[in-house]
Amino acid sequence: KNQVEQSPQSLIILEGKNCTLQCNYTVSPFSNLRWYKQDTGRGPVSLTIMTFSENTKSNGRYTATLDADTKQSSLHITASQLSDSASYICVVSATTLVKTIFGAGTRLFVKA
Amino acid sequence: EAGVTQSPTHLIKTRGQQATLRCSPISGHTSVYWYQQALGLGLQFLLWYDEGEERNRGNFPPRFSGRQFPNYSSELNVNALELEDSALYLCASSHYNEQFFGPGTRLTVL
């Protein structure tokens, strides 16, 4: 069964601290993995997209890693800011976009 | 480059009514996807249109329907609205393997 599981479900950190969000998947055959940031009540915004051959990709303070062997990905946020408070969604696609599975998301709260 | 646009931003209906939501994809994108996101829950795939044809639909009843126009814009229609249809409806258009999302339409059913 194709699944995407994210952990933790929610996370509270202090401004300026780093954090790492996890995504485990069983989607097959794997095509790509994407991380999105979704502010409350808004549409998701793409942070990174990685294919099978890529194991790390950065977008400013966001760095995503991918281990295709263990089917795990992480999103590392460096020097968190209050504006990082949002849901972070891991999305894994099979070889066609017909089979695209969304994780339930990690809700991140950054406190001053 | 303009992003994906959706209208209206908010929509309030009563049970039994019909709702029509609209989406304009990014110029050059031919695929449009519709998702439902109930409060506090993840995105649930609704419909996929490509080149004017419905390519796939999620596990939703037939009262959820839509269409894609020759200019690749799309409509989502929800008939016989139920209270549990209250959600954020997101549209996305795709280019190769990446989907770009619109801001969503917040549908409230009273």
Side-chain angles (χ1 to χ4, degrees):
Chain A
K1 183 180 177 182
N2 292 303
Q3 286 185 312
V4 175
E5 295 182 349
Q6 293 188 242
S7 62
Q9 187 175 36
S10 61
L11 181 63
I12 302 174
I13 62 173
L14 291 176
E15 187 179 15
K17 298 296 186 182
N18 303 334
C19 68
T20 300
L21 315 180
Q22 299 291 342
C23 173
N24 297 336
Y25 64 92
T26 57
V27 179
S28 180
F30 177 83
S31 174
N32 64 79
L33 183 146
R34 292 163 273 157
W35 283 95
Y36 288 90
K37 176 186 178 187
Q38 184 179 22
D39 293 315
T40 301
R42 307 290 294 274
V45 174
S46 179
L47 293 175
T48 63
I49 177 170
M50 288 184 291
T51 58
F52 183 87
S53 59
E54 298 171 297
N55 55 23
T56 187
K57 185 164 282 190
S58 292
N59 178 359
R61 295 181 295 102
Y62 301 100
T63 299
T65 64
L66 173 65
D67 186 333
D69 292 330
T70 61
K71 295 185 168 63
Q72 296 179 326
S73 175
S74 65
L75 180 69
H76 187 75
I77 304 175
T78 305
S80 62
Q81 300 176 357
L82 298 178
S83 59
D84 292 333
S85 294
S87 289
Y88 290 85
I89 304 170
C90 174
V91 183
V92 183
S93 292
T95 51
T96 72
L97 275 175
V98 174
K99 199 183 291 182
T100 293
I101 311 296
F102 285 75
T106 292
R107 188 75 175 91
L108 175 65
F109 299 90
V110 180
K111 297 173 60 175
Chain B
E1 177 185 270
V4 177
T5 59
Q6 292 187 244
S7 63
T9 304
H10 294 87
L11 189 59
I12 299 175
K13 295 283 186 178
T14 57
R15 253 187 330 180
Q17 285 188 314
Q18 184 213 29
T20 298
L21 289 64
R22 297 180 177 83
C23 170
S24 292
I26 291 172
S27 177
H29 290 191
T30 61
S31 280
V32 169
Y33 305 80
W34 287 96
Y35 296 89
Q36 181 196 65
Q37 188 177 36
L39 191 63
L41 299 180
L43 279 77
Q44 300 295 319
F45 168 68
L46 264 167
L47 290 160
W48 172 35
Y49 291 97
D50 181 67
E51 297 283 356
E53 300 284 334
E54 182 181 301
R55 301 297 183 184
N56 199 16
R57 66 179 292 127
N59 188 25
F60 281 84
R63 57 190 186 82
F64 287 84
S65 65
R67 54 181 172 166
Q68 187 177 33
F69 299 99
N71 66 354
Y72 304 117
S73 66
S74 176
E75 269 184 4
L76 173 68
N77 295 294
V78 188
N79 294 320
L81 284 166
E82 300 179 2
L83 296 178
E84 51 266 34
D85 296 333
S86 295
L88 180 68
Y89 288 84
L90 291 162
C91 168
S93 70
S94 75
H95 179 63
Y96 295 108
N97 285 324
E98 185 164 10
Q99 293 183 356
F100 297 85
F101 285 84
T105 292
R106 171 70 63 187
L107 173 63
T108 302
V109 182
L110 303 175

